[in-house]
Amino acid sequence: DTACFGDSTVFTNQTTLSGGGFIQNYLWAFGDGDTSYLAGPRHLYAMPDTFVVTLTAVAGTGCSSFYTDSVVVRYRPQGGFTVDYGTAQCTGIAVQFTDTSVSQIPVAGYDWDFGDGQGSAQQNPQHAFTASGLFNVRQTITAQNGCSDSTAMDLELYDELPMPGAFALEQPQNNALNDAGEVLFTWGPTGNTVHYRLLIGSDALFNTVLLDSIGIGTNQISLSLAWPDTVYWKVRAYNLCSDYTESNVHLLSYFSFAQQDYSLLWFNAG
């Protein structure tokens, strides 16, 4: 007989008495130190293992008999998952689910129920909800021994979320001259933001974008500039719904001393 760890094992008493009379009592020894006097007990084992169970039946005459069998309590995996950016999500935007389950034996499969009639068998799925509201997302993980575990989380889906707050560019300052091999761009952090986007253009209207760096997780980034020229830069802060707030624009003159005529630099400086 087998059971998954965490499930109670139900024991069925099949004792028969020949020649009449009655059974005075039963004694179950579950193999883990616990016992029971019930005819058909239920027992919860504290750990996975193989346990030798003994049933002793005593008739009214005082005669007794026993029967021994084994119970294999199989290891059960522990389900678990996280959701990028928390439980408040946006409709129409793919939500990233990351499996954090733990299993000491190989996993046979995953079963996700997103609570909107859709599901997935992937380990780390993405799913875009089309309607707002509360959805109960459930993950079920099944190990190769047949034991499974489920865990669930409620997600609140919104059509809109608060916009990122206003913010300003910091470094390089506007109209700065820079000859560094790498340029550190910084700007003020703002709330309701999941990532930033830095754009560098050849004109103040960004009709020609020279660099588009998306998915920046902090309010700074170091970049190697490939163009000794005057460029413009700005930053967009995005919320989870992909709505954004845009910064002001800074002008940056970038050059390399190795590529410039020193007399021209001196003349321009004067």
Side-chain angles (χ1 to χ4, degrees):
D1 294 330
T2 62
C4 293
F5 176 63
D7 291 340
S8 295
T9 302
V10 178
F11 294 90
T12 302
N13 193 329
Q14 297 180 333
T15 302
T16 59
L17 184 65
S18 60
F22 62 94
I23 302 296
Q24 181 171 325
N25 58 63
Y26 298 99
L27 174 62
W28 294 84
F30 298 118
D32 61 352
D34 287 346
T35 59
S36 174
Y37 294 99
L38 298 176
R42 179 188 299 266
H43 184 64
L44 180 64
Y45 286 95
M47 60 184 296
D49 205 344
T50 299
F51 300 91
V52 177
V53 181
T54 301
L55 167 63
T56 301
V58 181
T61 59
C63 296
S64 64
S65 181
F66 68 91
Y67 176 79
T68 298
D69 202 350
S70 295
V71 173
V72 178
V73 180
R74 296 171 294 179
Y75 176 85
R76 181 191 296 277
Q78 296 179 356
F81 64 93
T82 60
V83 181
D84 284 6
Y85 306 118
T87 57
Q89 299 284 333
C90 282
T91 56
I93 303 296
V95 180
Q96 177 65 60
F97 298 90
T98 302
D99 171 49
T100 60
S101 60
V102 178
S103 182
Q104 295 183 4
I105 57 177
V107 174
Y110 299 88
D111 182 23
W112 294 83
D113 180 353
F114 298 121
D116 61 352
Q118 302 297 314
S120 174
Q122 296 180 1
Q123 182 179 3
N124 300 300
Q126 290 185 342
H127 180 64
F129 294 83
T130 59
S132 60
L134 186 67
F135 297 87
N136 184 260
V137 178
R138 180 171 295 274
Q139 175 214 54
T140 300
I141 174 177
T142 303
Q144 287 186 356
N145 63 5
C147 294
S148 62
D149 188 38
S150 295
T151 186
M153 182 186 302
D154 286 334
L155 297 187
E156 187 76 32
L157 273 295
Y158 298 91
D159 292 326
E160 294 181 349
L161 284 175
M163 292 288 293
F167 65 102
L169 304 181
E170 293 178 347
Q171 297 292 335
Q173 296 180 356
N174 194 24
N175 296 313
L177 292 173
N178 198 302
D179 68 334
E182 275 198 347
V183 178
L184 176 64
F185 295 88
T186 67
W187 53 92
T190 183
N192 305 317
T193 300
V194 296
H195 65 87
Y196 298 94
R197 179 179 184 179
L198 171 69
L199 295 108
I200 298 178
S202 62
D203 59 276
L205 296 178
F206 292 83
N207 292 317
T208 300
V209 175
L210 303 173
L211 184 143
D212 187 352
S213 182
I214 64 176
I216 305 171
T218 63
N219 62 317
Q220 65 179 40
I221 185 173
S222 291
L223 295 173
S224 296
L225 301 186
W227 336 272
D229 204 348
T230 296
V231 295
Y232 298 81
W233 68 285
K234 65 181 179 179
V235 173
R236 291 174 180 173
Y238 287 83
N239 69 5
L240 197 55
C241 296
S242 292
D243 300 319
Y244 65 85
T245 298
E246 193 165 276
S247 72
N248 54 327
V249 176
H250 273 190
L251 182 148
L252 170 64
S253 295
Y254 173 78
F255 60 90
S256 169
F257 277 113
Q259 298 175 356
Q260 298 294 331
D261 179 76
Y262 284 92
S263 61
L264 179 60
L265 289 176
W266 177 261
F267 175 78
N268 287 339

